Amino acid sequence: MEEELKELVKQAESDILVCASYNDLLNIKAKYLGKKSVLNSLYAKMRDLPSEERPAFGNLINATRKNIEDLLEKQNKAIKEDAWKKSENRTAIDLTMPGIFSSRGGLHPLTIIRREIDEVFLGLGFEIAEGPDIDDDFHNFDALNTPPDHPSRNLADTFYLEGGGLLRTHTSTVQVRVMEKYPPPIKIISPGCCYRNDKPDPSHSPVFHQVEALVVDKDISLSDMKDMLSQFASIMFGKNVSSRIRPHFFPFTEPSAEMDISCVVCGGTGCRVCKYSGWIEMGGAGMVDPNVFDILGIDSEIYTGYAFGLGIERIAMLKYNIPDLRILYENDLRMLRQFKGELR
Ligand code: PHE
């Protein structure tokens, strides 16, 4: 009898183990423990046994029943666990949870200003031209009428590269490249990086940015240049900001000038920013020297032109009230975060 019951448990176990749902389990439970089950019919048989054998027989049946019940419960748990695991994966995305915050970057103040300058000049009819940061003597000096003994060619000013070439000291290299390639009329700006062997201080950095403007056509005069500077100054800094030019010297312009705008902080009455002069220096300017046209094959009898170069750092410092140029290059997050605008 005992053997038969063991066999019954084995059979039940193999049936139970293939159950994949609670319903399957209920069917198996009915089969092995229900009213019509073999086990149940044994209870009836018990009545025919002599009373002294009944307890042992009863225990045997009960133990068998318990074994099968345990197996059923075990499988029931396994089915539930499996369903839970699957459902856990399905609901791993909790739509009510706040999103994972990823910090977005912002634009660097120099990029913001450079783009603003681009927009102003695009609005004034200029096109944007670019050239390489690594250039050569011809484009940086020779074609710009700079004599071989000019101090700006000095190692103390210019970074020369091993094996030839140099890091451009100004974006005037791009006016050379444009004039080499295109006939007049020309009306371009060239924004970009420049490099000079300067020690960093509040107003110098070995890497800085310029925007060069070049206009070449028939009948271009100094007054056109002055007008363009004034327009730029008033669009960039406000209507009441005026400009002036002062005589200066550059090898590639004749006459040459330095250009100033009226102090955007004090309006011209004098303050610390303008060193109590009422004016702020913006960069160099001048009428393109006919020698430059001759070198580049543009007929200087027919064409005239002007060029000027603005310092982007200077403009950014004025616009954002930044007292030290080096702050723009240290990339302290506390500074950069102030320029994230609507970005958090
Ligand atoms: N290239 C000059 C500089 O870097 C600026 C300049 C540009 C002067 C154009 C005249 C005309 O200082």
Side-chain angles (χ1 to χ4, degrees):
M1 185 70 207
E2 217 176 316
E3 279 309 305
E4 274 170 43
L5 288 177
K6 268 189 186 160
E7 195 48 45
L8 187 76
V9 172
K10 260 192 190 162
Q11 232 183 64
E13 186 172 19
S14 65
D15 276 355
I16 286 168
L17 283 177
V18 297
C19 283
S21 72
Y22 185 63
N23 263 352
D24 290 353
L25 278 181
L26 285 183
N27 289 335
I28 300 299
K29 188 177 178 182
K31 179 175 168 189
Y32 289 96
L33 306 179
K35 273 188 186 153
K36 291 179 186 158
S37 66
V38 180
L39 207 61
N40 212 38
S41 66
L42 292 181
Y43 284 112
K45 272 193 185 160
M46 207 159 68
R47 268 179 255 129
D48 306 334
L49 288 178
S51 58
E52 66 275 13
E53 283 179 29
R54 278 185 204 162
F57 189 79
N59 281 344
L60 197 61
I61 301 170
N62 282 342
T64 305
R65 192 180 176 87
K66 174 92 174 51
N67 274 346
I68 295 174
E69 275 172 354
D70 285 352
L71 286 169
L72 283 165
E73 187 45 41
K74 213 174 138 195
Q75 184 66 0
N76 188 30
K77 245 180 153 177
I79 290 170
K80 271 192 191 160
E81 236 164 57
D82 195 46
W84 182 77
K85 268 186 197 153
K86 279 183 188 152
S87 75
E88 186 192 38
N89 285 342
R90 236 185 296 122
T91 56
I93 301 166
D94 180 351
L95 297 178
T96 63
M97 259 174 68
I100 297 165
F101 175 66
S102 68
S103 176
R104 284 163 77 194
L107 292 178
H108 191 278
L110 286 174
T111 307
I112 297 172
I113 290 294
R114 182 184 152 164
R115 289 188 182 176
E116 212 173 311
I117 295 171
D118 285 354
E119 285 304 316
V120 173
F121 281 113
L122 286 172
L124 291 167
F126 285 78
E127 285 181 77
I128 297 175
E130 288 188 326
D133 288 28
I134 296 176
D135 216 317
D136 51 34
D137 273 301
F138 178 75
H139 292 91
N140 202 81
F141 296 122
D142 299 338
L144 289 164
N145 199 37
T146 311
D149 57 352
H150 193 275
S152 66
R153 295 193 186 237
N154 211 297
L155 280 175
D157 213 44
T158 301
F159 290 114
Y160 290 93
L161 303 175
E162 275 175 27
L166 49 78
L167 296 179
R168 66 180 176 195
T169 61
H170 47 190
T171 44
S172 304
T173 50
V174 183
Q175 59 157 295
V176 175
R177 289 183 174 275
V178 169
M179 285 191 281
E180 265 180 333
K181 228 173 159 182
Y182 304 104
I186 293 167
K187 195 173 179 185
I188 55 113
I189 56 160
S190 58
C193 259
C194 306
Y195 309 84
R196 285 185 202 170
N197 202 350
D198 285 328
K199 260 218 175 96
D201 71 21
S203 54
H204 291 88
S205 159
V207 184
F208 60 102
H209 295 76
Q210 278 186 343
V211 184
E212 174 109 353
L214 172 71
V215 175
V216 182
D217 205 347
K218 290 171 187 160
D219 301 324
I220 297 289
S221 71
L222 197 69
S223 62
D224 293 319
M225 183 186 88
K226 179 77 170 53
D227 175 59
M228 191 54 78
L229 285 174
S230 294
Q231 288 201 54
F232 172 75
S234 63
I235 298 171
M236 199 70 198
F237 294 103
K239 276 213 157 40
N240 44 8
V241 173
S242 54
S243 71
R244 72 172 186 186
I245 51 175
R246 289 176 285 114
H248 198 70
F249 175 79
F250 295 103
F252 39 93
T253 44
E254 182 57 36
S256 298
E258 257 184 342
M259 50 195 181
D260 300 332
I261 59 167
S262 56
C263 181
V264 298
V265 178
C266 64
T269 52
C271 68
R272 267 183 53 210
V273 173
C274 61
K275 298 192 188 95
Y276 301 95
S277 71
W279 295 94
I280 292 170
E281 203 185 301
M282 280 281 111
M287 299 303 293
V288 180
D289 194 306
N291 285 343
V292 173
F293 285 147
D294 293 345
I295 294 167
L296 296 168
I298 290 175
D299 192 338
S300 56
E301 295 292 324
I302 302 174
Y303 294 105
T304 49
Y306 66 78
F308 57 82
L310 301 161
I312 299 182
E313 279 77 0
R314 171 60 63 89
I315 294 172
M317 288 164 77
L318 283 174
K319 275 241 156 180
Y320 296 131
N321 201 10
I322 296 172
D324 189 322
L325 190 150
R326 290 170 294 189
I327 291 172
L328 290 167
Y329 287 96
E330 279 162 2
N331 287 332
D332 187 322
L333 284 177
R334 289 168 302 177
M335 187 279 283
L336 293 175
R337 282 204 183 101
Q338 296 177 48
F339 294 95
K340 285 171 99 177
E342 80 284 3
L343 307 176
R344 276 171 303 157

